[in-house]
Amino acid sequence: METTIFFTPARIGIPYSTRLNNSWPRRSCLTVVSALTPPTSTNNLKTESASSHSITTSTGTTKTVYKDNWFNHAAINYLSKAVQDTVGMRNEESGYESLVVAAGAVFRGFDPIQQRKLVVETLQNAVPGPISFMIKTVMRPSKVTREYFAGFTALFFPWLIGPCEVRESEFEGNKERNVVHVKKCRFLESTNCAGMCTNLCKIPSQEFIKDSFGVPCTMVPNFDDMSCEMIFGQEPPALKDDPVFKQPCYKLCNAKHKHDTKCIT
């Protein structure tokens, strides 16, 4: 099925207090298999999210169209369901649009601190505790660990962040392949919102990766071309010093239409 990434107004159903038991369990075998499967060599590792291509819309802007395979659909539905379970809401969308709508509901319904906490809780619920504990215990901070996480991310998460590749950087005087370069972030492109990128992706992901796996990670989004870099092993700056909090909202923001920094901070 071809999924075109366009943000549409959320159609949120009635909040519910009980978990659905008929599909997408909170901790499925999908997460376990992914966590236990080592990536291939990170040398020149470059991945595409199933297949994708760019189109030019009537407004002259370029949009990326994704053709998700079965694994991508399964992962997207699993994460979207986890977000909806955490906030106690359901939406009527499917595929990646369902994830975008769920994220939009969190962004509009909670303040920035609550948003970050809810995303961290979602990620903790999505990854079985024993898996994260095992990884944190076995994979102590090292060059191998940092390169493993970079390769793993580039191999298994293009469905979420878009096509990406592993790049080399200097770490404590040595060269390491510990950076994931995202050419054009799928989540940022589909939401077109700096606040959602910061509060629903960057900050909670940095916190979750370090607390759950013991590996510091700094995410550096580029709001001009929608690219991003994930630098494993690098401690993120304090929130008050992070440049992203000085980023004004996009002029074509689909979320709050407040073109200043308030929706981020």
Side-chain angles (χ1 to χ4, degrees):
M1 177 182 296
E2 181 172 289
T3 303
T4 304
I5 308 175
F6 291 104
F7 187 89
T8 56
R11 296 201 298 268
I12 304 300
I14 299 174
Y16 63 100
S17 58
T18 58
R19 307 295 183 187
L20 296 180
N21 298 317
N22 58 350
S23 65
W24 293 108
R26 183 178 279 272
R27 294 189 175 101
S28 73
C29 60
L30 173 67
T31 306
V32 178
V33 171
S34 296
L36 292 178
T37 305
T40 58
S41 170
T42 59
N43 292 329
N44 302 316
L45 179 58
K46 183 184 298 185
T47 63
E48 301 290 334
S49 180
S51 61
S52 62
H53 63 275
S54 298
I55 61 171
T56 301
T57 66
S58 58
T59 60
T61 58
T62 301
K63 290 287 185 179
T64 307
V65 178
Y66 291 88
K67 293 183 179 180
D68 293 305
N69 59 31
W70 69 268
F71 175 84
N72 297 338
H73 278 295
I76 290 166
N77 289 334
Y78 181 79
L79 184 57
S80 176
K81 177 64 165 54
V83 174
Q84 294 175 55
D85 282 348
T86 299
V87 299
M89 296 179 178
R90 296 183 62 193
N91 66 67
E92 301 172 2
E93 303 295 339
S94 61
Y96 202 85
E97 185 64 18
S98 175
L99 176 60
V100 171
V101 170
V106 174
F107 187 67
R108 288 186 295 271
F110 302 89
D111 64 48
I113 294 177
Q114 293 172 323
Q115 293 166 24
R116 298 165 200 161
K117 288 182 178 179
L118 284 169
V119 174
V120 170
E121 181 183 343
T122 297
L123 295 173
Q124 290 172 338
N125 290 335
V127 179
I131 296 297
S132 59
F133 177 78
M134 180 186 68
I135 294 174
K136 187 175 183 178
T137 302
V138 174
M139 303 189 69
R140 312 302 294 178
S142 66
K143 176 181 178 181
V144 172
T145 297
R146 292 185 289 272
E147 292 189 338
Y148 180 96
F149 273 94
F152 184 87
T153 301
L155 188 65
F156 285 105
F157 288 94
W159 58 268
L160 177 61
I161 58 179
C164 51
E165 62 184 10
V166 175
R167 291 186 175 180
E168 188 177 70
S169 74
E170 185 172 312
F171 185 87
E172 297 181 348
N174 298 310
K175 296 293 185 180
E176 293 186 6
R177 298 186 62 78
N178 64 324
V179 177
V180 176
H181 176 76
V182 183
K183 300 176 183 178
K184 191 175 186 180
C185 179
R186 185 176 187 178
F187 184 72
L188 180 56
E189 182 182 20
S190 62
T191 60
N192 200 29
C193 178
M196 292 181 71
C197 166
T198 301
N199 294 316
L200 301 183
C201 181
K202 171 182 161 62
I203 301 302
S205 294
Q206 290 175 168
E207 179 181 339
F208 171 74
I209 292 171
K210 182 175 182 179
D211 292 347
S212 297
F213 304 122
V215 179
C217 179
T218 297
M219 299 180 68
V220 186
N222 183 326
F223 294 112
D224 292 326
D225 62 8
M226 296 189 179
S227 66
C228 183
E229 286 196 337
M230 300 179 65
I231 310 171
F232 289 95
Q234 178 175 302
E235 291 283 354
L239 297 186
K240 63 182 180 65
D241 300 323
D242 199 318
V244 300
F245 289 102
K246 299 178 177 64
Q247 171 69 29
C249 193
Y250 284 147
K251 291 183 179 180
L252 299 177
C253 177
N254 292 321
K256 284 191 173 182
H257 305 283
K258 294 181 178 179
H259 310 305
D260 51 35
T261 60
K262 293 181 180 179
C263 69
I264 301 180
T265 57

